[in-house]
Amino acid sequence: MKILFLSVPTGQGHHQAAKAVLEYFQQDDSVECRFLDVVDNTSSFLADSLQKGYLISTTVAPKMYGTFYDMADRRNYSKSSSLGKFVKSILNKKLSKYIEIYDPDIIVTTHIFSALALTYLRKKQAIRAKTIAIITDFTIHPYWEDTKLDYYITASELLGFQAMKKGHEPEKVKPFGIPIRPHFAHKLSKEEARKHLKLENRFTILLMMGSMGYGSDTLDTVRNLDRMEEDFQLVTVCGTNKRLKARIDRMTKHKTIINYGYSNEVATLMDAADCIITKPGGLSTSEALAKELPIIMMDPIPGQEDRNKEFMLNNGIALSVSDTFPVTEAVYQLMHYDFKVESLRRNMKNFSKPNAAAALGEFMLTLCQKPGKAAETQLKEAQ
């Protein structure tokens, strides 16, 4: 079986969702996977522009980005959007040739751009592959209603009504969850994780603002936490934001603050922590939910992350920082009131999908009428 994963370079979430499913198939010799950044494959200039544009829109001018997102969400839906026409004209020529040569059995897309390109491509030429879209947030973004693929993978059953309003048939919507890497499904005890990371065995707060270290208030948050009287250690992960890491390193500190740049041990850091302060990105939130780690949300990117925040709050699975509910108060409550932590974790169990990648992988195998790994094992045992 041949699977083609399509993604776009806007943040790490879209790539990571694809790679989580790809990793699931690594030990299966009967499955061949390829990962294609459709924009980079088409034009390195466009890829660089898109990534920089995303960075600017979500850091320098986030309110403007949020305004455009809201306008797109409220627009009158049409069968042929201007965004769709743009994507069609830019991406389809090379993508068409790639698909024709590789001839995959299944095509998986993790971004609206590649989903739109695939939709228009299917109108133009016969593609035998089954097509699957992974929606990497706790909302269904604008323009998904302009796509026409075979299946849509969502973060939760509760997005079914939203999907139906956007014109997707219920049988095509599969709430397997946002795929996360397999090691997030396994949990170490706090003591084991702290020992591995050489951390002190005491209340630990993890502050992580995405792979690029977003968050206009991150440094102020670290300073405010550092001034609290409560006894805890703070672990900060700055991602690729070298300037933020340097500023935290230079701080005069009263508490133990362990400051990382980019880290490949996020799963272990989550196991070591008692709570996480983060922006409500789809992937990072899904990882924390899998670990049942209490979440304090701050600095959402206007648009999809505002809606992620609403989803979390409406379902009682996270706290959210505001002008009247500062991060210090959220931390204080989680440190001193066990019922608050227990309530969050109880609700998290209803939304935690640590095996989302495996569920999607097994579903893909059934689409090609191949037995899944569990079925293969049973067959061998029977023989």
Short mmCIF file of all heavy atoms in Angstrom, two decimals, residues 199 203-226 228 232-239 241 244-245 248 251 256-263 266 269-270 272-279 284 293-299 321 327-328 331:
data_model
loop_
_atom_site.label_atom_id
_atom_site.label_comp_id
_atom_site.label_asym_id
_atom_site.label_seq_id
_atom_site.Cartn_x
_atom_site.Cartn_y
_atom_site.Cartn_z
N LEU A 199 15.69 16.83 37.06
CA LEU A 199 14.92 17.88 37.73
C LEU A 199 14.69 17.49 39.19
O LEU A 199 14.65 16.31 39.53
CB LEU A 199 13.55 18.07 37.05
CG LEU A 199 13.55 18.49 35.59
CD1 LEU A 199 12.10 18.51 35.07
CD2 LEU A 199 14.20 19.85 35.39
N PHE A 203 6.80 20.23 42.85
CA PHE A 203 5.79 20.78 41.94
C PHE A 203 6.49 21.47 40.77
O PHE A 203 7.36 22.32 40.95
CB PHE A 203 4.88 21.77 42.68
CG PHE A 203 3.61 22.07 41.92
CD1 PHE A 203 2.44 21.37 42.20
CD2 PHE A 203 3.58 23.04 40.92
CE1 PHE A 203 1.26 21.64 41.51
CE2 PHE A 203 2.41 23.31 40.21
CZ PHE A 203 1.25 22.61 40.51
N THR A 204 6.09 21.08 39.56
CA THR A 204 6.77 21.54 38.35
C THR A 204 5.77 22.13 37.37
O THR A 204 4.75 21.51 37.06
CB THR A 204 7.51 20.36 37.67
OG1 THR A 204 8.44 19.79 38.61
CG2 THR A 204 8.26 20.83 36.43
N ILE A 205 6.08 23.32 36.89
CA ILE A 205 5.25 24.00 35.88
C ILE A 205 6.02 24.00 34.56
O ILE A 205 7.19 24.40 34.51
CB ILE A 205 4.93 25.45 36.30
CG1 ILE A 205 4.17 25.47 37.62
CG2 ILE A 205 4.13 26.16 35.20
CD1 ILE A 205 4.02 26.85 38.22
N LEU A 206 5.37 23.56 33.50
CA LEU A 206 5.96 23.58 32.17
C LEU A 206 5.33 24.73 31.39
O LEU A 206 4.10 24.82 31.28
CB LEU A 206 5.68 22.24 31.46
CG LEU A 206 6.10 22.13 29.99
CD1 LEU A 206 7.60 22.31 29.82
CD2 LEU A 206 5.67 20.77 29.41
N LEU A 207 6.18 25.62 30.87
CA LEU A 207 5.71 26.73 30.05
C LEU A 207 6.24 26.53 28.64
O LEU A 207 7.45 26.50 28.43
CB LEU A 207 6.16 28.07 30.62
CG LEU A 207 5.52 29.33 30.02
CD1 LEU A 207 5.58 30.50 31.00
CD2 LEU A 207 6.16 29.76 28.70
N MET A 208 5.32 26.38 27.68
CA MET A 208 5.73 26.04 26.31
C MET A 208 4.79 26.75 25.34
O MET A 208 3.58 26.52 25.36
CB MET A 208 5.63 24.52 26.13
CG MET A 208 6.20 23.98 24.86
SD MET A 208 6.15 22.16 24.83
CE MET A 208 4.39 21.90 24.61
N MET A 209 5.35 27.61 24.48
CA MET A 209 4.51 28.43 23.61
C MET A 209 4.68 28.10 22.14
O MET A 209 4.77 28.97 21.29
CB MET A 209 4.82 29.92 23.86
CG MET A 209 4.53 30.37 25.29
SD MET A 209 2.82 30.12 25.81
CE MET A 209 1.99 31.35 24.83
N GLY A 210 4.73 26.82 21.81
CA GLY A 210 4.79 26.40 20.42
C GLY A 210 6.21 26.29 19.91
O GLY A 210 7.17 26.74 20.54
N SER A 211 6.37 25.68 18.72
CA SER A 211 7.69 25.41 18.17
C SER A 211 8.48 26.68 17.87
O SER A 211 9.71 26.68 17.85
CB SER A 211 7.56 24.59 16.88
OG SER A 211 6.84 25.32 15.90
N MET A 212 7.77 27.81 17.65
CA MET A 212 8.45 29.06 17.33
C MET A 212 8.51 30.01 18.52
O MET A 212 8.92 31.16 18.39
CB MET A 212 7.77 29.74 16.14
CG MET A 212 7.85 28.91 14.86
SD MET A 212 7.08 29.76 13.46
CE MET A 212 7.20 28.51 12.20
N GLY A 213 8.06 29.54 19.67
CA GLY A 213 8.15 30.36 20.88
C GLY A 213 7.28 31.60 20.83
O GLY A 213 7.69 32.69 21.21
N TYR A 214 6.02 31.44 20.36
CA TYR A 214 5.11 32.57 20.29
C TYR A 214 4.75 33.06 21.69
O TYR A 214 4.99 32.40 22.68
CB TYR A 214 3.82 32.17 19.58
CG TYR A 214 3.97 31.87 18.12
CD1 TYR A 214 3.17 30.93 17.50
CD2 TYR A 214 4.91 32.53 17.35
CE1 TYR A 214 3.31 30.64 16.15
CE2 TYR A 214 5.05 32.27 16.01
CZ TYR A 214 4.25 31.31 15.41
OH TYR A 214 4.38 31.03 14.09
N GLY A 215 4.08 34.18 21.73
CA GLY A 215 3.56 34.68 23.00
C GLY A 215 4.14 36.03 23.35
O GLY A 215 5.30 36.12 23.76
N SER A 216 3.34 37.07 23.19
CA SER A 216 3.84 38.42 23.46
C SER A 216 4.11 38.64 24.93
O SER A 216 4.92 39.49 25.30
CB SER A 216 2.83 39.45 22.94
OG SER A 216 1.56 39.25 23.54
N ASP A 217 3.44 37.87 25.80
CA ASP A 217 3.56 38.10 27.24
C ASP A 217 4.39 37.03 27.93
O ASP A 217 4.39 36.95 29.16
CB ASP A 217 2.15 38.13 27.87
CG ASP A 217 1.30 39.24 27.29
OD1 ASP A 217 1.85 40.31 26.99
OD2 ASP A 217 0.08 39.04 27.15
N THR A 218 5.12 36.22 27.18
CA THR A 218 5.83 35.10 27.79
C THR A 218 6.85 35.54 28.82
O THR A 218 6.91 34.98 29.93
CB THR A 218 6.51 34.24 26.70
OG1 THR A 218 5.53 33.82 25.76
CG2 THR A 218 7.18 33.03 27.32
N LEU A 219 7.65 36.52 28.49
CA LEU A 219 8.69 36.97 29.42
C LEU A 219 8.07 37.55 30.68
O LEU A 219 8.53 37.26 31.80
CB LEU A 219 9.60 38.01 28.75
CG LEU A 219 10.84 38.41 29.54
CD1 LEU A 219 11.75 37.21 29.79
CD2 LEU A 219 11.61 39.51 28.80
N ASP A 220 7.02 38.34 30.55
CA ASP A 220 6.32 38.88 31.72
C ASP A 220 5.72 37.75 32.55
O ASP A 220 5.71 37.82 33.79
CB ASP A 220 5.20 39.84 31.29
CG ASP A 220 5.75 41.18 30.80
OD1 ASP A 220 6.91 41.50 31.14
OD2 ASP A 220 5.02 41.89 30.08
N THR A 221 5.22 36.72 31.89
CA THR A 221 4.66 35.57 32.61
C THR A 221 5.73 34.90 33.46
O THR A 221 5.50 34.56 34.63
CB THR A 221 4.08 34.55 31.61
OG1 THR A 221 3.00 35.17 30.90
CG2 THR A 221 3.58 33.30 32.31
N VAL A 222 6.91 34.69 32.89
CA VAL A 222 8.02 34.08 33.64
C VAL A 222 8.37 34.95 34.84
O VAL A 222 8.57 34.44 35.95
CB VAL A 222 9.24 33.88 32.73
CG1 VAL A 222 10.44 33.38 33.53
CG2 VAL A 222 8.92 32.89 31.61
N ARG A 223 8.44 36.25 34.65
CA ARG A 223 8.78 37.16 35.75
C ARG A 223 7.71 37.12 36.85
O ARG A 223 8.03 37.10 38.05
CB ARG A 223 8.92 38.59 35.22
CG ARG A 223 10.21 38.81 34.40
CD ARG A 223 10.20 40.16 33.73
NE ARG A 223 11.46 40.43 33.04
CZ ARG A 223 11.58 41.25 32.01
NH1 ARG A 223 10.51 41.91 31.55
NH2 ARG A 223 12.75 41.44 31.44
N ASN A 224 6.44 37.10 36.46
CA ASN A 224 5.36 37.07 37.45
C ASN A 224 5.37 35.77 38.23
O ASN A 224 5.16 35.76 39.46
CB ASN A 224 4.01 37.26 36.76
CG ASN A 224 3.81 38.66 36.22
OD1 ASN A 224 4.42 39.62 36.74
ND2 ASN A 224 2.99 38.82 35.20
N LEU A 225 5.63 34.67 37.56
CA LEU A 225 5.71 33.38 38.24
C LEU A 225 6.91 33.34 39.19
O LEU A 225 6.83 32.79 40.30
CB LEU A 225 5.80 32.24 37.22
CG LEU A 225 4.54 31.97 36.38
CD1 LEU A 225 4.86 30.99 35.25
CD2 LEU A 225 3.40 31.43 37.24
N ASP A 226 8.00 33.92 38.75
CA ASP A 226 9.23 33.93 39.55
C ASP A 226 9.05 34.70 40.86
O ASP A 226 9.75 34.45 41.85
CB ASP A 226 10.37 34.55 38.74
CG ASP A 226 11.72 34.38 39.39
OD1 ASP A 226 12.04 33.23 39.75
OD2 ASP A 226 12.44 35.38 39.56
N MET A 228 6.22 34.70 42.67
CA MET A 228 5.23 34.06 43.55
C MET A 228 5.90 33.46 44.78
O MET A 228 7.06 33.03 44.73
CB MET A 228 4.47 32.96 42.79
CG MET A 228 3.48 33.48 41.75
SD MET A 228 2.54 32.14 40.95
CE MET A 228 1.46 31.62 42.31
N PHE A 232 7.81 26.07 43.80
CA PHE A 232 7.75 25.24 42.60
C PHE A 232 8.97 25.53 41.72
O PHE A 232 9.70 26.51 41.94
CB PHE A 232 6.46 25.49 41.80
CG PHE A 232 6.26 26.92 41.34
CD1 PHE A 232 6.91 27.43 40.22
CD2 PHE A 232 5.39 27.75 42.03
CE1 PHE A 232 6.72 28.74 39.81
CE2 PHE A 232 5.18 29.07 41.62
CZ PHE A 232 5.85 29.57 40.51
N GLN A 233 9.20 24.66 40.75
CA GLN A 233 10.22 24.92 39.73
C GLN A 233 9.52 25.12 38.39
O GLN A 233 8.44 24.57 38.14
CB GLN A 233 11.22 23.78 39.65
CG GLN A 233 10.65 22.44 39.26
CD GLN A 233 11.67 21.32 39.39
OE1 GLN A 233 12.87 21.54 39.42
NE2 GLN A 233 11.18 20.07 39.46
N LEU A 234 10.13 25.93 37.56
CA LEU A 234 9.55 26.29 36.27
C LEU A 234 10.46 25.79 35.14
O LEU A 234 11.66 26.04 35.16
CB LEU A 234 9.38 27.81 36.17
CG LEU A 234 8.86 28.38 34.85
CD1 LEU A 234 7.44 27.90 34.57
CD2 LEU A 234 8.90 29.91 34.89
N VAL A 235 9.87 25.08 34.19
CA VAL A 235 10.59 24.61 33.01
C VAL A 235 10.02 25.36 31.81
O VAL A 235 8.82 25.28 31.54
CB VAL A 235 10.44 23.09 32.81
CG1 VAL A 235 11.19 22.65 31.55
CG2 VAL A 235 10.96 22.33 34.03
N THR A 236 10.87 26.09 31.11
CA THR A 236 10.41 26.85 29.94
C THR A 236 11.01 26.26 28.67
O THR A 236 12.18 25.89 28.63
CB THR A 236 10.82 28.33 30.05
OG1 THR A 236 12.24 28.42 30.28
CG2 THR A 236 10.11 29.01 31.21
N VAL A 237 10.18 26.18 27.63
CA VAL A 237 10.63 25.68 26.32
C VAL A 237 10.37 26.80 25.31
O VAL A 237 9.22 27.13 25.03
CB VAL A 237 9.88 24.40 25.91
CG1 VAL A 237 10.35 23.92 24.54
CG2 VAL A 237 10.09 23.30 26.95
N CYS A 238 11.42 27.37 24.77
CA CYS A 238 11.32 28.55 23.89
C CYS A 238 11.27 28.20 22.42
O CYS A 238 11.15 29.10 21.57
CB CYS A 238 12.49 29.50 24.16
SG CYS A 238 12.57 30.09 25.86
N GLY A 239 11.38 26.93 22.07
CA GLY A 239 11.35 26.55 20.66
C GLY A 239 12.51 27.17 19.91
O GLY A 239 13.64 27.22 20.39
N ASN A 241 12.74 30.28 19.20
CA ASN A 241 12.83 31.71 19.55
C ASN A 241 14.08 31.95 20.41
O ASN A 241 14.04 31.93 21.64
CB ASN A 241 11.56 32.14 20.29
CG ASN A 241 11.46 33.65 20.43
OD1 ASN A 241 12.46 34.37 20.46
ND2 ASN A 241 10.23 34.14 20.54
N LEU A 244 13.99 35.02 22.90
CA LEU A 244 13.26 34.77 24.15
C LEU A 244 14.10 33.93 25.10
O LEU A 244 14.18 34.23 26.30
CB LEU A 244 11.94 34.05 23.85
CG LEU A 244 11.12 33.61 25.06
CD1 LEU A 244 10.69 34.81 25.90
CD2 LEU A 244 9.89 32.82 24.61
N LYS A 245 14.76 32.90 24.58
CA LYS A 245 15.60 32.06 25.45
C LYS A 245 16.71 32.88 26.10
O LYS A 245 16.98 32.75 27.31
CB LYS A 245 16.20 30.90 24.65
CG LYS A 245 17.00 29.94 25.55
CD LYS A 245 17.61 28.80 24.78
CE LYS A 245 18.28 27.81 25.74
NZ LYS A 245 19.27 28.42 26.63
N ILE A 248 15.36 35.09 28.94
CA ILE A 248 15.07 34.33 30.16
C ILE A 248 16.37 33.91 30.84
O ILE A 248 16.49 33.97 32.07
CB ILE A 248 14.18 33.11 29.85
CG1 ILE A 248 12.79 33.57 29.38
CG2 ILE A 248 14.04 32.20 31.08
CD1 ILE A 248 11.90 32.45 28.90
N MET A 251 17.76 36.70 32.98
CA MET A 251 16.93 37.17 34.10
C MET A 251 17.60 36.95 35.45
O MET A 251 18.30 35.96 35.66
CB MET A 251 15.59 36.41 34.13
CG MET A 251 14.46 37.02 33.35
SD MET A 251 12.97 35.97 33.52
CE MET A 251 12.79 35.90 35.32
N THR A 256 13.98 28.22 40.83
CA THR A 256 14.68 27.36 39.88
C THR A 256 13.93 27.42 38.55
O THR A 256 12.77 27.02 38.46
CB THR A 256 14.71 25.90 40.38
OG1 THR A 256 15.39 25.85 41.64
CG2 THR A 256 15.43 25.00 39.38
N ILE A 257 14.60 27.92 37.53
CA ILE A 257 14.02 27.99 36.19
C ILE A 257 14.95 27.26 35.23
O ILE A 257 16.10 27.66 35.04
CB ILE A 257 13.80 29.45 35.72
CG1 ILE A 257 12.84 30.17 36.68
CG2 ILE A 257 13.26 29.48 34.29
CD1 ILE A 257 12.58 31.62 36.31
N ILE A 258 14.45 26.18 34.65
CA ILE A 258 15.22 25.41 33.68
C ILE A 258 14.74 25.84 32.30
O ILE A 258 13.57 25.63 31.95
CB ILE A 258 15.03 23.90 33.88
CG1 ILE A 258 15.48 23.49 35.30
CG2 ILE A 258 15.84 23.11 32.84
CD1 ILE A 258 14.38 23.49 36.31
N ASN A 259 15.63 26.43 31.53
CA ASN A 259 15.24 27.09 30.28
C ASN A 259 15.78 26.33 29.07
O ASN A 259 16.99 26.29 28.84
CB ASN A 259 15.77 28.53 30.30
CG ASN A 259 15.23 29.35 29.14
OD1 ASN A 259 14.12 29.12 28.67
ND2 ASN A 259 16.00 30.33 28.70
N TYR A 260 14.87 25.73 28.29
CA TYR A 260 15.24 25.02 27.08
C TYR A 260 15.02 25.91 25.86
O TYR A 260 14.18 26.81 25.87
CB TYR A 260 14.36 23.78 26.88
CG TYR A 260 14.62 22.62 27.83
CD1 TYR A 260 14.06 22.60 29.10
CD2 TYR A 260 15.40 21.54 27.44
CE1 TYR A 260 14.27 21.54 29.96
CE2 TYR A 260 15.62 20.46 28.29
CZ TYR A 260 15.04 20.47 29.56
OH TYR A 260 15.25 19.41 30.40
N GLY A 261 15.74 25.60 24.78
CA GLY A 261 15.42 26.16 23.47
C GLY A 261 14.42 25.20 22.82
O GLY A 261 13.34 24.97 23.35
N TYR A 262 14.81 24.61 21.71
CA TYR A 262 13.97 23.59 21.08
C TYR A 262 14.26 22.26 21.77
O TYR A 262 15.42 21.93 22.03
CB TYR A 262 14.29 23.49 19.58
CG TYR A 262 13.29 22.66 18.81
CD1 TYR A 262 12.15 23.24 18.26
CD2 TYR A 262 13.48 21.29 18.64
CE1 TYR A 262 11.23 22.49 17.56
CE2 TYR A 262 12.56 20.52 17.95
CZ TYR A 262 11.44 21.12 17.41
OH TYR A 262 10.52 20.36 16.73
N SER A 263 13.23 21.49 22.08
CA SER A 263 13.43 20.23 22.79
C SER A 263 12.74 19.08 22.08
O SER A 263 11.61 19.22 21.60
CB SER A 263 12.89 20.33 24.22
OG SER A 263 12.96 19.07 24.87
N VAL A 266 9.59 16.65 24.69
CA VAL A 266 8.36 17.28 25.19
C VAL A 266 7.49 16.27 25.93
O VAL A 266 6.90 16.59 26.97
CB VAL A 266 7.58 17.93 24.03
CG1 VAL A 266 6.21 18.42 24.50
CG2 VAL A 266 8.38 19.10 23.46
N LEU A 269 8.90 15.87 29.34
CA LEU A 269 8.67 17.12 30.08
C LEU A 269 7.23 17.20 30.58
O LEU A 269 6.97 17.64 31.71
CB LEU A 269 8.99 18.33 29.20
CG LEU A 269 10.47 18.60 28.94
CD1 LEU A 269 10.65 19.62 27.81
CD2 LEU A 269 11.17 19.11 30.21
N MET A 270 6.29 16.76 29.76
CA MET A 270 4.89 16.74 30.19
C MET A 270 4.67 15.75 31.33
O MET A 270 3.92 16.01 32.27
CB MET A 270 3.97 16.41 29.01
CG MET A 270 3.81 17.54 28.02
SD MET A 270 2.56 17.15 26.75
CE MET A 270 2.52 18.71 25.84
N ALA A 272 6.83 15.00 33.54
CA ALA A 272 7.47 15.56 34.74
C ALA A 272 6.66 16.70 35.36
O ALA A 272 6.85 17.03 36.53
CB ALA A 272 8.86 16.06 34.38
N ALA A 273 5.75 17.29 34.58
CA ALA A 273 5.06 18.51 35.02
C ALA A 273 3.77 18.21 35.76
O ALA A 273 3.12 17.17 35.56
CB ALA A 273 4.77 19.39 33.81
N ASP A 274 3.37 19.17 36.60
CA ASP A 274 2.07 19.12 37.28
C ASP A 274 1.02 19.93 36.52
O ASP A 274 -0.18 19.71 36.69
CB ASP A 274 2.21 19.67 38.70
CG ASP A 274 3.04 18.76 39.58
OD1 ASP A 274 2.48 17.76 40.08
OD2 ASP A 274 4.25 19.02 39.74
N CYS A 275 1.46 20.86 35.69
CA CYS A 275 0.56 21.60 34.82
C CYS A 275 1.38 22.22 33.70
O CYS A 275 2.60 22.31 33.79
CB CYS A 275 -0.23 22.68 35.58
SG CYS A 275 0.80 24.03 36.24
N ILE A 276 0.69 22.65 32.64
CA ILE A 276 1.36 23.27 31.50
C ILE A 276 0.71 24.60 31.18
O ILE A 276 -0.53 24.72 31.20
CB ILE A 276 1.35 22.34 30.26
CG1 ILE A 276 2.09 23.00 29.08
CG2 ILE A 276 -0.07 21.96 29.85
CD1 ILE A 276 2.30 22.08 27.88
N ILE A 277 1.53 25.60 30.92
CA ILE A 277 1.06 26.90 30.44
C ILE A 277 1.42 26.96 28.96
O ILE A 277 2.61 26.83 28.60
CB ILE A 277 1.73 28.06 31.19
CG1 ILE A 277 1.44 27.95 32.70
CG2 ILE A 277 1.24 29.41 30.67
CD1 ILE A 277 2.28 28.89 33.55
N THR A 278 0.44 27.14 28.09
CA THR A 278 0.71 27.07 26.66
C THR A 278 -0.36 27.81 25.88
O THR A 278 -1.43 28.12 26.41
CB THR A 278 0.78 25.59 26.20
OG1 THR A 278 1.19 25.52 24.85
CG2 THR A 278 -0.56 24.90 26.36
N LYS A 279 -0.07 28.09 24.62
CA LYS A 279 -1.12 28.61 23.75
C LYS A 279 -1.95 27.42 23.26
O LYS A 279 -1.43 26.30 23.15
CB LYS A 279 -0.53 29.42 22.61
CG LYS A 279 0.24 28.65 21.57
CD LYS A 279 0.89 29.59 20.57
CE LYS A 279 1.46 28.82 19.37
NZ LYS A 279 0.45 28.20 18.53
N SER A 284 -0.34 20.67 20.40
CA SER A 284 0.14 20.72 21.79
C SER A 284 -0.98 20.42 22.77
O SER A 284 -0.77 19.75 23.79
CB SER A 284 0.77 22.09 22.08
OG SER A 284 -0.16 23.13 21.85
N LEU A 293 -2.69 16.24 31.46
CA LEU A 293 -1.92 17.27 32.14
C LEU A 293 -2.74 18.57 32.19
O LEU A 293 -3.09 19.10 31.13
CB LEU A 293 -0.61 17.52 31.39
CG LEU A 293 0.33 18.59 31.93
CD1 LEU A 293 0.84 18.22 33.32
CD2 LEU A 293 1.51 18.78 30.96
N PRO A 294 -3.07 19.08 33.37
CA PRO A 294 -3.86 20.31 33.46
C PRO A 294 -3.26 21.45 32.64
O PRO A 294 -2.06 21.71 32.70
CB PRO A 294 -3.84 20.63 34.95
CG PRO A 294 -3.70 19.29 35.61
CD PRO A 294 -2.78 18.52 34.70
N ILE A 295 -4.12 22.12 31.87
CA ILE A 295 -3.69 23.13 30.90
C ILE A 295 -4.13 24.52 31.34
O ILE A 295 -5.28 24.74 31.71
CB ILE A 295 -4.30 22.84 29.51
CG1 ILE A 295 -3.91 21.44 29.03
CG2 ILE A 295 -3.88 23.90 28.49
CD1 ILE A 295 -4.72 20.96 27.83
N ILE A 296 -3.17 25.46 31.30
CA ILE A 296 -3.48 26.88 31.46
C ILE A 296 -3.18 27.54 30.11
O ILE A 296 -2.03 27.55 29.66
CB ILE A 296 -2.63 27.54 32.56
CG1 ILE A 296 -2.88 26.86 33.91
CG2 ILE A 296 -2.92 29.04 32.66
CD1 ILE A 296 -1.93 27.31 35.02
N MET A 297 -4.21 28.07 29.47
CA MET A 297 -4.04 28.64 28.13
C MET A 297 -3.78 30.14 28.20
O MET A 297 -4.38 30.85 29.00
CB MET A 297 -5.31 28.41 27.29
CG MET A 297 -5.71 26.97 27.13
SD MET A 297 -7.25 26.79 26.18
CE MET A 297 -8.44 27.47 27.33
N MET A 298 -2.88 30.61 27.32
CA MET A 298 -2.64 32.04 27.20
C MET A 298 -2.18 32.36 25.79
O MET A 298 -1.72 31.49 25.05
CB MET A 298 -1.59 32.52 28.22
CG MET A 298 -0.21 31.90 28.08
SD MET A 298 0.99 32.60 29.24
CE MET A 298 1.38 34.14 28.39
N ASP A 299 -2.33 33.62 25.39
CA ASP A 299 -1.87 34.12 24.09
C ASP A 299 -2.30 33.28 22.89
O ASP A 299 -1.47 32.90 22.06
CB ASP A 299 -0.33 34.23 24.08
CG ASP A 299 0.14 35.55 24.66
OD1 ASP A 299 -0.71 36.42 24.93
OD2 ASP A 299 1.36 35.72 24.84
N VAL A 321 -6.10 32.23 30.84
CA VAL A 321 -5.62 33.48 31.43
C VAL A 321 -6.35 34.66 30.80
O VAL A 321 -6.62 34.67 29.60
CB VAL A 321 -4.10 33.61 31.21
CG1 VAL A 321 -3.60 34.98 31.58
CG2 VAL A 321 -3.36 32.53 31.98
N VAL A 327 -2.19 34.57 35.23
CA VAL A 327 -1.57 33.26 35.28
C VAL A 327 -1.21 32.86 36.70
O VAL A 327 -1.27 31.67 37.07
CB VAL A 327 -0.33 33.22 34.36
CG1 VAL A 327 0.79 34.12 34.86
CG2 VAL A 327 0.16 31.79 34.15
N THR A 328 -0.84 33.82 37.53
CA THR A 328 -0.48 33.51 38.91
C THR A 328 -1.67 32.94 39.69
O THR A 328 -1.51 32.03 40.50
CB THR A 328 0.04 34.78 39.63
OG1 THR A 328 -0.89 35.85 39.41
CG2 THR A 328 1.41 35.18 39.10
N VAL A 331 -2.25 29.29 38.50
CA VAL A 331 -1.26 28.40 39.11
C VAL A 331 -1.58 28.17 40.59
O VAL A 331 -1.52 27.03 41.08
CB VAL A 331 0.17 28.99 38.95
CG1 VAL A 331 1.17 28.27 39.85
CG2 VAL A 331 0.61 28.90 37.49
#
